[in-house]
Amino acid sequence: GKLVQASDSLAGSLLSKIKNTSVAVISLAFPAKEAGDSGEGGGGGSAKGGGAFGHLIPAGEGGSSAALGVIYDSDVFPVQSDKGSTGSPFMGQRITVMAGGETKGAADFLNTSSAEDLEHLALSTVRDHLNIHDEPLSIRVNKAYDCIPQYNVGHAETRRDIRLRLASSLPWLSVCGASFDGVGVNDCIVSGRNAAQKYMANEFIAGRFN
């Protein structure tokens, strides 16, 4: 919103309606002996044939935990296990725990949580949810501020109003990405491609190139 405020205050105000939240991303790697041991309820978190993306943790089931969900990286990105730093395949389990979000106070939660706090949260989450009790081979903590757009009630109307306003006042400007057409990587790719195609088909732009 701030980038276009000087050119069009209304467009800037509309863009500023889309808010973002912050999360902590804790990446863990466990030895092979723990991979595939997801406890009662199946092998969804297994690096060997589980085939699942991960799981979300509803607020009502997470208790006081700030954990939002778990991604089974070994299943989602198996190619990343092909070669480790030694050049040999990594046969263990790679997992990411995400925590924070709007319901947990977002930035305040990140600011008041140390790396050690977040490591403990991640380890307790994989212990309780996936029955993994071993110490990780590696653990990394990253804090990502204002990284996930929030699709609050009325988002579809806000998105429509933004694009209609830009089309009339700043026809050379297109908007796309996670704030508009879906927060997933695939959504962002499609959003960017569609924006580029519409941009080049725009009569105002076409006139500049002819």
Side-chain angles (χ1 to χ4, degrees):
K2 294 179 180 179
L3 292 176
V4 301
Q5 193 73 38
S7 299
D8 187 331
S9 59
L10 177 56
S13 297
L14 289 170
L15 285 163
S16 296
K17 285 186 176 182
I18 301 177
K19 305 302 181 182
N20 298 281
T21 194
S22 306
V23 297
V25 181
I26 307 100
S27 304
L28 310 103
F30 291 95
K33 66 178 180 180
E34 286 288 338
D37 182 7
S38 297
E40 300 177 3
S46 170
K48 305 254 185 207
F53 182 90
H55 68 273
L56 298 174
I57 304 174
E61 296 182 17
S64 59
S65 173
L68 296 171
V70 181
I71 300 173
Y72 311 148
D73 296 298
S74 294
D75 286 340
V76 180
F77 305 110
V79 68
Q80 293 181 358
S81 296
D82 286 350
K83 290 184 178 180
S85 59
T86 62
S88 301
F90 175 68
M91 303 306 293
Q93 169 75 313
R94 293 179 294 106
I95 296 171
T96 295
V97 176
M98 302 185 73
E102 199 63 23
T103 60
K104 302 298 182 181
D108 287 341
F109 165 74
L110 265 62
N111 289 332
T112 57
S113 299
S114 67
E116 291 75 16
D117 293 334
L118 296 171
E119 289 178 6
H120 176 74
L121 182 150
L123 290 171
S124 61
T125 298
V126 298
R127 181 190 64 229
D128 296 343
H129 287 251
L130 300 174
N131 196 32
I132 297 178
H133 295 266
D134 206 358
E135 286 297 312
L137 298 172
S138 174
I139 182 167
R140 294 182 180 179
V141 175
N142 290 289
K143 296 181 179 181
Y145 290 90
D146 296 327
C147 63
I148 302 179
Q150 299 297 283
Y151 287 13
N152 296 321
V153 175
H155 176 78
E157 290 76 13
T158 299
R159 178 181 62 185
R160 176 202 62 203
D161 293 344
I162 289 171
R163 285 178 165 152
L164 287 174
R165 179 62 185 181
L166 291 177
S168 62
S169 66
L170 304 172
W172 43 266
L173 179 63
S174 297
V175 291
C176 61
S179 294
F180 301 95
D181 304 309
V183 298
V185 174
N186 292 342
D187 296 321
C188 292
I189 293 172
V190 172
S191 177
R193 182 185 63 190
N194 290 341
Q197 291 174 342
K198 291 179 180 178
Y199 184 80
M200 295 310 299
N202 185 300
E203 292 182 1
F204 177 86
I205 301 301
R208 293 295 184 92
F209 286 97
N210 291 332

